[in-house]
Every structure is written in structure tokens, then in C-alpha cells.
Amino acid sequence: MIPNSSVSYQVNEAEQPPEKSLSQENQENLDEIERPDKPEEACGVFGIYASGEDVAKLTYFGLFALQHRGQESAGIAIFDDGQIHVHKEMGLVSQVFNETILQQLKGNIAIGHNRYSTTGSSHVVNAQPAVLETRLGPVALAHNGNLVNTSQLREKLLEKDCNLVTTTDSEMIVHAIAEEVNSGKDWLSGAIAAFQQCIGAFSLTIGTPEGIMGTRDPHGIRPLVIGIIPSQPQRYVLASETCALDIIGAEYLRDVEPGELVWITEAGLSSYHWAKPERKLCIFEMIYFARPDSLVHDETLYSYRLRLGRQLAREAPADVDIIIGVPDSGVPAAIGFSQESDIPYAEGLIKNRYVGRTFIQPTQSMRESGIRMKLNPLKDVLTGKRVVMVDDSIVRGTTSRKIVKALRDAGATEVHMRISSPPVTHPCFYGIDTDNQDQLIAATKSVEQIKEQIGVDSLAYLSWEGMLEATGENTNHFCSACFTGDYPIGVPDALKRSKLMLEKV
């Protein structure tokens, strides 16, 4: 436990997620309306070492820019002269923090986190950063990814009488660091020894009284970038994506390399390579998860997604009147499809960007046309038109079916669907919450069967080869296991059965 003398720790236990109070039947109805037909987000991590700056407010805006990566909880840990102040709750960044709270978080080092649960359920106790006290002072950790040896690591820590209070793999990592530090190691050697016990995907920002660390697993499955705030002395920022640097005026320096630890202190930035890299960046970061304005391989992901659309048009052309995209993630590929095919692009669906997630039980009639809570078709654009609708993926097919029906109801004479990625046939175990395999529509149905189920006139997916070649990079440097089942890190059978394995412990 963390002594009160060194920690100010604010967690609002009353802020449980509202869905926990709903009946199972009502929750299933809400899921049908609210749950996107996509793989769910990864988490967002942030870290900053900036003496003389309002690091709490900078971290707030960094998390605000990373909100798309997780909407369940948010938290910030601030270090101030050896003490740590933590505030984390369930909800969006703008709901968890306000001016009063941020003014109380004073210091020169900050770690921030947006959460979408992958191991451990959506409860406030599982919110991050995860914080522990060590012989060298407090440590705070924010984690994006998912370990595949969580059970073994947990057993090892319990044998050492560690007091585990959450059901997350992230807590295992911070306990492993604390154990190594308490055995006599310094922050660097202790952290490296802990990382070498972890198997799976992890991009971490770690705060200590001396400085902050950033690291990626040897495969670099999840992203992590370094930014600088020009000043004397230089100030450094760590973030999941470059969009979090842009919002606070930081400049992109470079990526944290797979198997690298960067250590940022008053003396500046130093680098330590603790494992041999075997690059396997998640290809879905490129296709969907990361924001289109974020930089990967020295270009925005918008440019890559345009190329996906162009390649899709070459592979699966259609004789139609207009091209539309499913907002927001399908739009760049739809524009690329339009450019390649010389067929006009139009906005056929308008997204309500302020609807958020509702926990009020909808009426039966609303359930039947629930997609309109978030997407509404433009009748005067669609009436009498043959339409190609471009999206980045289909996971379960439920939302796609409703969108197709809405387009036909709005007057489209033909609806064709093109997907700017291959069929998703396998779940992800590296920090993305995809369904179990039997719930993935492409794992159990052919393309023709999917076409019939969602009600389109034609359906085509981008080829696996086309998706990888469009990166312009070494195609062996990406993880595409959700399309192929070829997992770069071995996945135990127990993990395949449930992401909530620790809830039973």
C-alpha cells in the first residue's frame, strides 16, 4: 500500500459505470444500439517531464487528443518533490477533470492514461495510472497493450506476498518493477528486469521521482512516440500518437523503438535497448485505431488510408453513381476509392458526434432503427443513386446491416459495400478488444454469405497483400494476426477463452 504521507490519491468509488446497474436483457439491447461494429479501442498513454510547465494541464490536453483510444476511464499522476498526487475516475477526460482538480495537481512530472479494458473489467479500481510505493519512492505506470503471460506473472507475484488489488495485467507490471527496485536495484535496472518477465504487447509510460520512462515490447505492437517542447533545458513528452504532441505544441522527435527504454530526467534523454527488436506494429493501428492526423513512418495515416481506398478500387471496381464513406474511419478510403475510380465522392451519412454513449433504455422502435442515433442518411444525396459504401472493417455485421437498410430507406437504388481491409477472422490478444472468434462474422461465413446477411448488392474486401503493400514499408514488420491467425507472440489457450480471466481469482 502507498503511505498517506507521500501520496494524495483521489478515486471516486461512486463513479461506477452506469451499465452495471442495468438488467442483462437491457444491456444486450443497449449493446445492439451502442456497440460499434468495430474492434474496440486500445488505450492511450502520455508522459511529460517539464519543469516550470503546468504539466497537469498539458497532460489533460494530451489525453483529450487521445480520447479515441479509450473512453472508460481517465487518470493523471503528478510527481512533486518526491510525492505523488493521483486523480482517476470513470468517464471521459472532460468528465474526470476540471480546472479545480487540475490546479491541485502540481509538479514537474506527469503520467496520464485513457482506458479501454482488455484485461480486467470496466471498474474504477482498474483505472490507471497504476501506482505503488517502493523503497525509492512512488512509481506510476500507464499501459497500452495486453500481456499474454498474466496468470503466470500473477502467481509469481503472489508468491512474493504482493498485495494485488485490481484485475489488470498493468498492475502486474508495476508490481514487478516495485519488486525489483525493493530488492536493491535502481529504477533503470529494476524496470528492465521487470520488462524481461513480461510477454505480450506493452507500450508504457512510467513516472518516478527522478524522471519518466517510456518503453515498448520487443515487437513494438503498440505505438509510442517521443516529442520535445523547445526550451532550455529541453522538455520531453511521451505519447501513444503524435496528435497528442500537436495539441500541446510539442514537436515529434522519433518513435520509441521496439525493445527500447528511454529515460528522461533533468539531465535529458538517454536510451537503453533491453531486448532485440522484432518489429510487428499492429496493422489495425494504421487502418483504423490511430487518428488520421497522427504520423506513422513519417506520413499521416490519412495518406495511407487514401492508398488503401485506391488499391481497393483497383481490386474491386463498381459501376455506381457515387462513393460514400462510413464516418469517420471509412472516409479517407472512400475518397481514395473515388479518386482512383473517377466516381464522385459524396457525404451520404451524417454522424452525430455529440451523442456519446447513452444508458437510457431506448424504445422498441428506436432499437429497430438504432443506427440513426449516431448516423443519419442524406435522402437528397442518395435518392435514385447506385451507391458504393466504403468502410474500414466489418466485425459482427450488425451495424453494417442497419446502415445498408437506412441507405435503401433513404432512396438508394443499389448499395454496394467495399472494405479497406481483409476479413477479420481471428480475435486480437495484444490490446484490442475484438469479439471471440465465433462472433466474428468472417470467421463463420463466406463473403457471399456476409453479403446476403447485411443486404448489399455486392461486397468485396481489400486483399491482405494489397493492405500490406500500401504501407510502403517492409511487410514483415506488421502484425496482421486478426486477418490470418498468425500470432507473432504465442497465446495460451486460457487467454483465448476470456479477457476477464482474473475476475475469477
Side-chain angles (χ1 to χ4, degrees):
M1 298 296 293
I2 308 168
N4 289 333
S5 60
S6 64
V7 175
S8 170
Y9 192 67
Q10 304 173 45
V11 176
N12 188 348
E13 293 290 350
E15 291 292 327
Q16 295 293 335
E19 66 266 36
K20 301 303 177 185
S21 64
L22 294 171
S23 70
Q24 183 177 0
E25 179 181 0
N26 283 356
Q27 183 56 51
E28 289 172 354
N29 288 333
L30 286 179
D31 283 345
E32 185 71 9
I33 299 284
E34 296 291 337
R35 189 177 186 185
D37 191 14
K38 305 282 184 186
E40 301 286 6
E41 288 84 345
C43 295
V45 302
F46 190 87
I48 183 168
Y49 188 109
S51 301
E53 296 282 350
D54 189 343
V55 295
K57 190 164 286 188
L58 293 176
T59 303
Y60 168 87
F61 283 110
L63 294 180
F64 190 82
L66 297 171
Q67 187 72 86
H68 60 288
R69 299 188 67 87
Q71 298 92 44
E72 291 185 2
S73 64
I76 296 175
I78 299 281
F79 290 79
D80 182 22
D81 292 331
Q83 293 190 333
I84 186 171
H85 311 285
V86 184
H87 183 85
K88 53 185 179 180
E89 290 182 9
M90 304 303 295
L92 303 176
V93 176
S94 59
Q95 297 169 322
V96 172
F97 297 97
N98 56 38
E99 286 281 357
T100 301
I101 292 169
L102 292 172
Q103 287 173 5
Q104 295 171 357
L105 298 174
K106 299 296 184 183
N108 64 334
I109 294 171
I111 299 295
H113 189 263
N114 288 333
R115 185 169 192 255
Y116 183 85
S117 58
T118 50
T119 294
S121 57
S122 182
H123 289 289
V124 69
V125 70
N126 289 335
Q128 295 184 39
V131 179
L132 275 182
E133 184 69 29
T134 76
R135 69 177 184 87
L136 297 179
V139 57
L141 176 144
H143 174 206
N144 175 23
N146 204 45
L147 301 186
V148 299
N149 69 328
T150 306
S151 294
Q152 298 91 327
L153 188 55
R154 182 184 177 89
E155 290 174 6
K156 186 175 181 180
L157 292 168
L158 288 175
E159 288 174 0
K160 297 180 179 181
D161 296 323
C162 291
N163 181 26
L164 303 177
V165 298
T166 79
T167 55
T168 70
D169 53 349
S170 309
E171 186 190 23
M172 311 297 154
I173 305 174
V174 76
H175 269 282
I177 295 171
E179 283 295 309
E180 296 295 338
V181 169
N182 289 339
S183 72
K185 296 183 175 68
D186 61 18
W187 288 118
L188 276 177
S189 58
I192 290 172
F195 302 155
Q196 291 170 339
Q197 300 172 44
C198 299
I199 303 173
F202 52 95
S203 286
L204 308 171
T205 56
I206 302 167
T208 76
E210 294 181 23
I212 62 173
M213 296 181 233
T215 196
R216 293 170 75 194
D217 67 83
H219 291 85
I221 291 176
R222 299 284 150 231
L224 189 64
V225 301
I226 307 169
I228 56 174
I229 301 175
S231 62
Q232 290 296 332
Q234 198 88 269
R235 300 183 176 99
Y236 290 92
V237 183
L238 300 170
S240 292
E241 298 179 35
T242 61
C243 62
L245 307 180
D246 297 336
I247 197 172
I248 63 170
E251 299 174 1
Y252 169 67
L253 180 62
R254 65 176 179 88
D255 289 5
V256 176
E257 293 295 314
E260 180 188 20
L261 181 154
V262 294
W263 178 226
I264 299 166
T265 65
E266 192 65 30
L269 183 148
S270 52
S271 169
Y272 304 85
H273 292 270
W274 57 271
K276 181 180 178 181
E278 300 177 49
R279 298 175 187 275
K280 289 291 180 181
L281 176 67
C282 170
I283 193 67
F284 242 116
E285 292 280 358
M286 306 274 291
I287 296 167
Y288 169 63
F289 290 116
R291 266 179 37 172
D293 55 331
S294 286
L295 290 173
V296 176
H297 302 134
D298 298 321
E299 68 170 359
T300 65
L301 289 175
Y302 180 84
S303 297
Y304 171 64
R305 292 167 189 175
L306 278 178
R307 292 199 298 276
L308 291 179
R310 285 182 172 274
Q311 180 64 25
L312 182 59
R314 290 191 287 269
E315 292 183 8
D319 182 15
V320 296
D321 302 308
I322 59 171
I323 312 295
I324 68 170
V326 178
D328 289 311
S329 57
V331 170
I335 294 172
F337 195 106
S338 168
Q339 291 172 346
E340 183 68 24
S341 60
D342 203 26
I343 298 171
Y345 170 81
E347 285 198 45
L349 292 163
I350 299 300
K351 182 177 181 179
N352 182 355
R353 290 174 174 82
Y354 306 99
V355 70
R357 180 175 172 88
T358 177
F359 299 100
I360 303 301
Q361 175 69 6
T363 66
Q364 179 62 32
S365 61
M366 289 175 68
R367 284 198 296 272
E368 291 171 356
S369 60
I371 193 65
R372 297 190 185 186
M373 294 178 69
K374 290 190 175 180
L375 293 174
N376 209 28
L378 288 170
K379 292 183 180 181
D380 51 353
V381 172
L382 298 165
T383 298
K385 297 294 195 302
R386 299 169 300 161
V387 178
V388 158
M389 176 175 69
V390 180
D391 205 354
D392 57 81
S393 60
I394 301 176
V395 176
R396 292 174 298 140
T398 51
T399 301
S400 300
R401 184 175 66 249
K402 290 179 179 179
I403 297 175
V404 171
K405 183 179 184 301
L407 294 177
R408 293 196 189 280
D409 290 346
T413 58
E414 294 179 16
V415 179
H416 304 263
M417 195 162 188
R418 298 293 183 266
I419 305 300
S420 62
S421 65
V424 177
T425 54
H426 293 75
C428 175
F429 301 98
Y430 305 138
I432 302 302
D433 185 26
T434 48
D435 286 294
N436 295 328
Q437 191 166 14
D438 59 358
Q439 295 175 312
L440 299 172
I441 191 169
T444 59
K445 291 179 170 33
S446 67
V447 173
E448 181 64 25
Q449 289 172 324
I450 298 170
K451 184 198 87 167
E452 295 299 325
Q453 181 159 325
I454 65 177
V456 289
D457 294 284
S458 72
L459 170 66
Y461 291 83
L462 182 65
S463 67
W464 179 75
E465 295 83 1
M467 171 191 70
L468 290 175
E469 288 173 5
T471 65
E473 300 290 324
N474 186 327
T475 57
N476 293 319
H477 288 174
F478 296 93
C479 174
S480 58
C482 53
F483 306 118
T484 65
D486 183 14
Y487 295 102
I489 306 170
V491 180
D493 289 339
L495 180 58
K496 292 180 180 179
R497 286 192 288 271
S498 176
K499 77 166 185 173
L500 303 180
M501 69 175 94
L502 301 182
E503 302 295 330
K504 304 185 182 96
V505 177

